[in-house]
């Protein structure tokens, strides 16, 4: 599928940083956190180190963690990840939400990273409880359909421009996809904030690895 996508310039520094970011040794997993809560972003720590959540997208970059070891994910000082053990080389998105006064986490396994270096890749996450979501090109064909809550669908696309529309039932939200290039991965998150659907997206990036 070719998506028409608006092109915006990137700095040379961004390109170099993404291309040459320090990578971990074999056997590591990659996790990121996205939040469902309204209001102030919670303080998130992974293995006792702060993880920055992007205010605009509600998601972090990926962080390398030791594979096949229990993950220590803490939200506002409380550990909530006792049963999460990321497999080596796996990519996980951890969805953090608050019910009453307690924080909880759901793990979405994205599998292992693979793709066509000549194309870009889209990932669509449905983060709306009780909804089976779709993603389509505005006034055009459907890209993902029948996406249950707390799951992801993905596909490769030609790096081109589009206005996208996520929907749950009769409600919908739109987003103009930013510049993608061959080999890029982009994640789209459909949420419901204050009774309104919201579609956000970010270019997938991994923090430079350092021993913690």
């Amino acid at each position: 599928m070719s998506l028409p996508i608006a092109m915006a310039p990137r700095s040379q520094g961004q390109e170099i940083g993404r291309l040459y970011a320090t990578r971990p040794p074999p056997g590591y997993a990659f996790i990121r956190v996205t939040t469902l809560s309204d209001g102030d972003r919670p303080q998130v720590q992974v293995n006792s180190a702060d993880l920055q959540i992007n205010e605009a997208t509600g998601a972090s970059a990926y962080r390398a963690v030791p594979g096949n070891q229990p993950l220590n994910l803490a939200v506002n000082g409380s550990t909530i990840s006792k049963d999460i053990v990321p497999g080596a080389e796996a990519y996980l998105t951890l969805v953090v939400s608050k019910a009453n006064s307690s924080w909880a986490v759901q793990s979405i396994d994205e599998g292992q990273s693979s793709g066509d270096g000549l194309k870009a890749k889209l990932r669509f996450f449905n983060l709306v409880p009780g909804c089976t979501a779709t993603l389509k090109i505005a006034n055009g064909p459907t890209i993902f359909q029948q996406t249950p809550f707390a799951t992801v669908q993905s596909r490769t696309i030609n790096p081109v421009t589009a206005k996208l529309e996520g929907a749950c039932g009769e409600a919908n939200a739109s987003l103009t996809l930013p510049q993608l290039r061959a080999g890029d991965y982009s994640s789209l998150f459909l949420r419901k904030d204050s009774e309104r659907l919201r579609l956000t997206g970010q270019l997938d990036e991994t923090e430079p690895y350092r021993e913690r």
Side-chain angles (χ1 to χ4, degrees), residues 2-7 137 158-164 176-179:
S2 295
L3 298 182
I5 302 172
M7 295 296 181
I137 298 174
N158 292 321
V160 272
T161 305
K163 183 175 181 180
L164 304 180
T176 298
L177 198 64
Q179 175 184 0

Side-chain angles (χ1 to χ4, degrees), residues 32 108 110 121-128 131-136 142-155 164-168 173 175 186-191 197-200 204:
R32 66 175 165 189
I108 302 177
E110 302 173 28
K121 190 168 187 176
L122 282 183
R123 294 187 177 106
F124 176 54
F125 293 82
N126 176 13
L127 305 182
V128 183
C131 160
T132 300
T134 62
L135 182 76
K136 60 178 290 186
T142 298
I143 305 171
F144 301 113
Q145 59 185 345
Q146 299 297 310
T147 307
F149 169 61
T151 64
V152 60
Q153 291 197 51
S154 63
R155 68 176 298 163
L164 304 180
E165 185 177 279
C168 284
L175 171 73
S186 181
S187 291
L188 305 174
F189 304 97
L190 187 66
R191 295 182 178 82
L197 277 186
R198 192 161 63 95
L199 183 63
T200 63
D204 292 348

Side-chain angles (χ1 to χ4, degrees), residues 46-88:
V46 174
N47 295 343
S48 301
D50 289 342
L51 183 67
Q52 186 67 38
I53 305 296
N54 185 296
E55 288 288 337
T57 67
S60 71
Y62 289 104
R63 174 170 292 175
V65 297
N68 301 318
Q69 295 185 26
L71 182 71
N72 184 355
L73 172 68
V75 178
N76 290 347
S78 299
T79 299
I80 61 173
S81 60
K82 296 178 181 178
D83 298 327
I84 297 177
V85 182

